[in-house]
Amino acid sequence: MQLASFYEELVTHGILKPLTAPVEGLVEREGSRNFVAPQGISSVVKYYLEQSGAEVSYEQQVTHISLRDGRWEVSRKAGPPEQFDVVILTMPVPQILQLQGDIVNIINASQKQQLESVSYSSRYALGLFYEAGTGIAVPWAARYIADNPCVRFISIDNKKRNIESPEIGPSVVVHTTVAFGSEHLDSDPEEVQQIILSHLQRIVPSLPKPSSIKCQRWRYSQVTRAVPNCPGQMILHTQPLLICGGDGFTRSNFDGCIESAMSLAEAVKPHLQQFQTQAAKIPPD
C-alpha cells in the first residue's frame, strides 16, 4: 500500500484537508504537499482506533514487562498486571529503556546500543485561549520565526485549520526553539511561560490578553537521530512476540509514522495468523 493512499483516505473522510491558509516562512520541499487536521492531530489517531475496533485503555503507565508461562505479563503504575500474547511498544525510545522486569535482560547488547543512540529534540509548547469574538489582527495563519532565541513557530490555530467561527474563541499555539527547550528542560514551567510570553509580546505586540494559558513541556519532541539501519521496527523477542516501533525507528513526520506502522503490521501478522490457526484446531466444548 502506497503512502498516498493513506492521505487520500483521510482526506476523503474529512480528517485531513490540504493546507490553504497563509504560513509565513514555510520552507516548501519540491514535490511535497502540506495538510492540516481541522479537528486536531488526535483526530487522525482516533480515526484509526475506531477503524480497528480495538478496546482502548487510557492513562495506563507501563512499568514492568516480564515473561510468565509463555505470555507477557505487563505491570502498570496503578492496577493489577495483565497478560498478553503480543506486546508492541511505540513510546519514545528512552522510555522503552526505562522499563523494568525481564525486558531489561531480553534486550541484547547490540539492540541496547542501537536504542541508546536515538536522540530527540526538546521544546515547550504554549497555548493561549481567547473568548469567542476576539480578533487577532495578523495577516498570517502561522509563522516560522528565524531570528528569535526563544520562539520558533506561532500558529493562530483555528485560522490555520480553516475553522474560524464567531461561536468559538481563537487560540494561539507557540513552539519554542530546540535550543531554548534544551536549556530550560528542567526549569519551572511558570518561569518558562513568562519568558515565552515576553518574547511573544515583542514578536506580535498586537496580541490581545488571553482568557487562559497552558504551558506544555515536550521532552520528546522530534527525533533528531533514529535507530540506525532499522526498517521501522525492532523485534526484541520472537515467541511470544515483543516488538517496538514508532518514529524513533524512522523519522518524525506522518510518512515516518505510517512506514513504521506498516513495518510493525507485517511483523505482527504471522503471529496473529498463528493464533487463528491454533484457535481453529481447538475442538468446541
Side-chain angles (χ1 to χ4, degrees), residues 26-34 253 255:
L26 177 66
V27 177
E28 295 281 3
R29 291 183 177 87
E30 191 178 342
S32 70
R33 293 174 65 198
N34 295 301
N253 60 16
D255 286 2

Side-chain angles (χ1 to χ4, degrees), residues 22-25 140-145 147 152-155 203-204:
V23 178
E24 202 174 283
W140 37 264
R143 180 182 169 192
Y144 286 92
I145 313 295
D147 55 358
R152 177 66 181 114
F153 177 75
I154 307 169
S155 166
I203 297 165
V204 192

